[in-house]
Amino acid sequence: MPAGAEPGGAGPGGADGDSAAFEAYARDGQRRLYRTAYLLCGNVEGAKDLTQTTLAKLFQHWRRASRADNLDAYAKTVLVRTYVAERRRTVRDVLAHRSNAPRPQPNPAAHADLRVTLLALLDELPPRARAMVVLRYWDDLSVERVAALLRCSESTVKSQCSRSLVRLRARMGDARLYSTGS
């Protein structure tokens, strides 16, 4: 491909217009995508990588993405599905090479800040359950929207969120121990 050429070819309103539109969206939407990515990944580097991968996928399919009714929702769908797919791969690799020695569990009481504690506990959830909790309670999406994003039934979202919240509460113990007084 010649230098400066973009996927999709040129033509009336072609690659140059597509490229400029994508760049404008990437500048405006990157922070929103990063916020959700950070909540999903729980760390800065993972969130940066996930955000960049999402933007790369959006660019690759920009003509289709730019025609979406809600571009932010389309981008969030790409982000969440990318996260779940990557985590599934990672978990599968870890399980394949894992020793049978028990892993020490992190002590959430060692953290002074409730947000840090919650992020640590979220990391213990399976990728799909974590995605559901983040989308449902941090991003405040409806059960229907989360189900659509993750391609599952609404009852699956409800049951997974319920189980995840029970698990988080059990690991959290007495929330007053973690409160920052704010």
Side-chain angles (χ1 to χ4, degrees):
M1 190 177 302
E6 305 292 337
D16 292 338
D18 286 348
S19 181
F22 172 77
E23 287 174 19
Y25 176 77
R27 269 192 307 278
D28 293 341
Q30 187 171 9
R31 184 168 289 185
R32 289 185 302 274
L33 290 172
Y34 175 80
R35 178 184 167 271
T36 301
Y38 182 79
L39 289 168
L40 291 170
C41 296
N43 65 65
V44 172
E45 291 306 313
K48 286 180 181 178
D49 289 346
L50 181 57
T51 302
Q52 289 304 311
T53 301
T54 300
L55 289 172
K57 287 182 177 185
L58 283 174
F59 180 72
Q60 184 178 8
H61 302 285
W62 183 246
R63 286 184 186 238
R64 181 178 348 144
S66 64
R67 289 190 302 261
D69 291 335
N70 184 340
L71 188 52
D72 285 335
Y74 186 97
K76 191 171 282 190
T77 300
V78 172
L79 179 105
V80 170
R81 289 182 182 165
T82 300
Y83 166 77
V84 170
E86 287 178 358
R87 287 297 297 239
R88 206 177 272 148
R89 243 187 322 272
T90 302
V91 168
R92 190 172 40 240
D93 292 346
V94 166
L95 291 176
H97 298 93
R98 178 176 165 181
S99 72
N100 292 332
R103 222 174 43 153
Q105 293 295 318
N107 180 6
H111 301 292
D113 186 12
L114 180 60
R115 292 178 78 187
V116 173
T117 302
L118 281 172
L119 284 173
L121 293 175
L122 277 173
D123 201 34
E124 296 178 10
L125 294 176
R128 195 167 167 90
R130 180 178 178 149
M132 287 180 189
V133 168
V134 167
L135 292 171
R136 183 77 180 96
Y137 300 106
W138 261 287
D139 283 351
D140 200 28
L141 297 180
S142 67
V143 170
E144 297 81 17
R145 184 71 188 125
V146 174
L149 278 169
L150 294 172
R151 294 181 182 158
C152 64
S153 69
E154 292 175 19
S155 60
T156 299
V157 172
K158 291 176 187 177
S159 66
Q160 286 295 311
C161 284
S162 176
R163 287 185 195 127
S164 297
L165 290 177
V166 166
R167 184 174 175 181
L168 290 172
R169 286 182 186 122
R171 290 285 292 138
M172 189 112 169
D174 188 358
R176 288 175 297 168
L177 294 174
Y178 305 102
S179 115
T180 59
S182 52

